[in-house]
């Protein structure tokens, strides 16, 4: 379970049902700040198991700046 209070995050094991289900590749996209969880829900890559879960995840993972790479591979 991921909880955030006063800007501090804590992650602990839980038996609760997940709010979102996603693949590790999609988690990487969200974590690196390139894609919002709600975008991945609409694309069918992420399953939201309760109303508002994607909106909350958007807020939790929102980056201050959009990722940018100066070099193309």
């Amino acid at each position: 379970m991921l909880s955030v209070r006063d800007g501090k995050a804590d992650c602990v094991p839980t038996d609760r049902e997940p709010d979102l289900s996603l693949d590790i590749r999609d988690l990487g996209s969200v974590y690196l700040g390139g894609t919002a969880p709600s975008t991945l829900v609409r694309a069918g890559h992420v399953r939201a198991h309760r109303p508002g879960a994607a909106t909350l995840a958007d807020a939790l993972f929102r980056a201050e700046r959009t990722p940018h790479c100066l070099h193309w591979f």
Side-chain angles (χ1 to χ4, degrees), residues 2-50:
L2 175 66
S3 60
V4 179
R5 284 209 169 87
D6 299 323
K8 182 181 176 194
D10 189 33
C11 188
V12 295
T14 182
D15 292 334
R16 287 181 34 192
E17 291 296 316
D19 293 337
L20 298 172
S21 296
L22 62 156
D23 185 89
I24 190 69
R25 293 171 294 189
D26 297 315
L27 179 60
S29 295
V30 169
Y31 181 74
L32 293 173
T35 309
S38 59
T39 300
L40 294 172
V41 168
R42 289 190 301 273
H45 288 265
V46 173
R47 282 192 4 225
H49 299 284
R50 69 171 187 82

Side-chain angles (χ1 to χ4, degrees), residues 44-65:
H45 288 265
V46 173
R47 282 192 4 225
H49 299 284
R50 69 171 187 82
T55 302
L56 177 59
D58 283 352
L60 290 172
F61 286 99
R62 186 171 293 122
E64 186 175 312
R65 294 186 296 166

